[in-house]
Amino acid sequence: MPGEEPAPGQAPEPAAPKKAEAPPQPVPGLGALRETGKLFALAVSVARLIFKRPFQLREFVEQFWFIASVTILPAALVSIPFGAVIALQVGSLTEQFGAQSFTGGASVLAVIQQASPLIVALLISGAGGSAICADLGSRKIREELDAMEVMGVSPVQRLVVPRVLATMGVAVLLNGLVSVVGTLGGYFFNVIMQGGTPGAYLSSFSALAQLPDLYISEIKALIFGFIAGIVAAYRGLNPRGGPKGVGDAVNQSVVITFLLLFLVNAILTSIYLQIVPPKGG
């Protein structure tokens, strides 16, 4: 009977085993939120260390030259069909509305404000960003970054800051090249294939375009280059699973950068259209 003491010389009955408690279930979305917080923390650290000495000038020049060398030719080649497609599509729409004289201005504004910064950012992320992620990831699995921290050297200041600045600088300079090449491609296809006149193309551009359009294009390129560098560096600093994890981190960095670029582009475009009135408005 429960509660009765065992008789003398009789072994006590073993207690019933307690049920093992189930481990706590992870909160859905908490991992993604944690990763987002770490990404923002790295961005803040990079922005703070940019102005801290010593500045790694040699590393910056090497990374700048490498990123520029792998993105200049693809950017120029990609911008030509982009400008042509935009000119052909805008020309077809303006012809339906009877406003062929505004084809040049509309297509050039689309290239400068939207297409050029996105082309630059996507190429930098796909070519330069993937190389940055692979380089930092390989250093991480070889424990080079841990050795730098043991010696008192900050991997973020020594390796990440020059690479992020290089992606930003290349993005700003490359944006001008893509804008010029895309505009020339749109001009050629509009005048040659759609029968437009050079005078109408240029006059519509001067009637619709204004200097803030170039400013927002360069600002977008600068921010997009920063995002591409930060995401590539973060995924390179946090690979999982050895060499295979480095390859997965490269793919993840490119995909995450693409998603962030389109989101930030929509936000910046909305803010610009609210702040800057159209020319003549």
Side-chain angles (χ1 to χ4, degrees):
M1 295 294 293
E4 292 183 354
E5 296 183 359
Q10 183 180 358
E13 296 182 1
K18 296 182 179 180
K19 294 183 179 180
E21 296 182 358
Q25 297 296 326
V27 180
L30 187 59
L33 185 61
R34 185 181 297 110
E35 294 293 326
T36 304
K38 292 180 180 178
L39 179 63
F40 275 97
L42 178 62
V44 173
S45 299
V46 170
R48 179 174 53 86
L49 293 174
I50 286 177
F51 306 100
K52 185 178 179 180
R53 295 184 179 182
F55 180 71
Q56 306 297 328
L57 181 60
R58 180 176 180 179
E59 189 78 19
F60 168 75
V61 173
E62 291 178 354
Q63 294 298 320
F64 187 95
W65 174 251
F66 168 74
I67 296 173
S69 63
V70 298
T71 53
I72 287 179
L73 183 59
L77 295 177
V78 169
S79 59
I80 296 176
F82 257 90
V85 169
I86 292 175
L88 293 175
Q89 186 66 40
V90 172
S92 176
L93 292 176
T94 54
E95 185 178 359
Q96 296 179 18
F97 291 106
Q100 296 92 334
S101 59
F102 293 100
T103 301
S107 60
V108 171
L109 287 179
V111 170
I112 293 178
Q113 287 190 18
Q114 304 297 330
S116 179
L118 285 176
I119 291 172
V120 170
L122 295 180
L123 288 175
I124 286 180
S125 174
S130 59
I132 291 174
C133 183
D135 178 41
L136 294 177
S138 61
R139 291 171 183 261
K140 180 67 176 179
I141 63 175
R142 292 198 304 264
E143 299 182 353
E144 293 184 16
L145 303 183
D146 298 333
M148 293 176 64
E149 292 180 353
V150 170
M151 292 186 295
V153 179
S154 172
V156 175
Q157 183 181 6
R158 178 65 178 81
L159 300 175
V160 176
V161 171
R163 285 162 171 78
V164 173
L165 289 178
T167 56
M168 295 169 63
V170 173
V172 171
L173 297 180
L174 205 60
N175 183 64
L177 172 66
V178 174
S179 299
V180 172
V181 175
T183 301
L184 293 178
Y187 172 85
F188 175 81
F189 279 88
N190 178 256
V191 173
I192 301 300
M193 300 189 64
Q194 293 182 318
T197 59
Y201 191 93
L202 296 177
S203 62
S204 65
F205 170 66
S206 61
L208 295 178
Q210 51 186 338
L211 200 55
D213 297 328
L214 180 60
Y215 293 160
I216 188 61
S217 178
E218 294 292 351
I219 291 173
K220 282 184 178 181
L222 185 69
I223 295 176
F224 292 168
F226 180 78
I227 292 174
I230 288 295
V231 174
Y234 174 74
R235 293 305 306 139
L237 293 175
N238 299 278
R240 298 187 182 92
K244 182 181 181 300
V246 176
D248 296 337
V250 171
N251 296 332
Q252 293 171 6
S253 69
V254 175
V255 174
I256 294 172
T257 303
F258 283 11
L259 296 176
L260 290 178
L261 289 180
F262 287 108
L263 176 61
V264 174
N265 181 59
I267 296 173
L268 292 177
T269 302
S270 302
I271 295 175
Y272 174 75
L273 294 177
Q274 293 294 327
I275 295 177
V276 180
K279 190 174 183 179

